[in-house]
Amino acid sequence: MSARQPIRRVLFLVDHYVDPYGGTEGQLHALLGALPPHIRAEMWVLRNESSWLAQNPFPCRTRLLGLGSLARPGTLLRLPGLAREIRRFDLVQTVFNDASLVGPLLGALAQVPVLVSRRDLGFWQTPTWLQLLRRTSRLARGVVANCEAVAAHTVDA
């Protein structure tokens, strides 16, 4: 994608989507509902655990991928096929943890820029998880943080 091409098709890649009543899920629902009409967004959910999405309208097209644990070989074998499908997007934005690992890999395979979201101070992150995030985040075009404290922590970590 050249710097002159406008972004028209955006994929939001998320771990899960329970309902729009949680903090991140609510913010994502509001963002997708407020995008200008020239931006066509989709949301792909790594897990198939959202009965709310099946029963309620959503501001954009959604797809449940049904991926299992990222440590399972079957999950990794699906990545090249997903990368081929991602080529139709101009940008991928990840939300949540597993998506922040998978998204940059998919974007690199598809040659589509990825923005990784950081939405917490990472108290749950183990040294192994941090190492994986460091490696995959290098494949991303950038990192988006939801506040200055998270941005500072992300730079430090």
Side-chain angles (χ1 to χ4, degrees):
M1 183 178 85
S2 76
R4 294 183 186 151
Q5 276 184 311
I7 294 175
R8 299 192 191 285
R9 297 161 302 186
V10 180
L11 172 63
F12 288 83
L13 185 66
V14 304
D15 292 10
H16 59 277
Y17 194 91
V18 177
D19 58 46
Y21 310 117
T24 297
E25 291 94 336
Q27 291 172 12
L28 184 58
H29 189 275
L31 171 69
L32 289 168
L35 289 174
H38 71 276
I39 297 196
R40 295 181 50 195
E42 285 187 32
M43 182 176 75
W44 289 5
V45 182
L46 296 179
R47 313 276 184 267
N48 273 355
E49 34 190 63
S50 181
S51 59
W52 189 91
L53 282 174
Q55 299 170 8
N56 295 280
F58 200 73
C60 69
R61 184 176 171 202
T62 61
R63 179 177 173 191
L64 302 177
L65 298 178
L67 291 180
S69 166
L70 297 181
R72 289 180 43 208
T75 299
L76 297 176
L77 292 174
R78 289 192 55 199
L79 296 184
L82 292 172
R84 281 190 293 279
E85 293 184 60
I86 283 176
R87 289 186 183 127
R88 65 187 169 93
F89 294 97
D90 301 315
L91 178 70
V92 175
Q93 171 134 7
T94 68
V95 179
F96 295 124
N97 308 314
D98 288 354
S100 292
L101 288 179
V102 173
L105 295 172
L106 290 171
L109 288 170
Q111 298 180 346
V112 174
V114 175
L115 293 177
V116 172
S117 293
R118 296 285 188 257
R119 308 189 60 75
D120 61 44
L121 294 174
F123 295 118
W124 55 271
Q125 294 170 340
T126 65
T128 300
W129 189 263
L130 272 173
Q131 185 64 12
L132 289 170
L133 282 174
R134 282 185 197 113
R135 289 178 187 218
T136 59
S137 292
R138 288 184 189 129
L139 299 172
R141 180 72 54 96
V143 178
V144 179
N146 64 344
C147 66
E148 288 183 29
V150 170
H153 169 76
T154 301
V155 169
D156 291 342

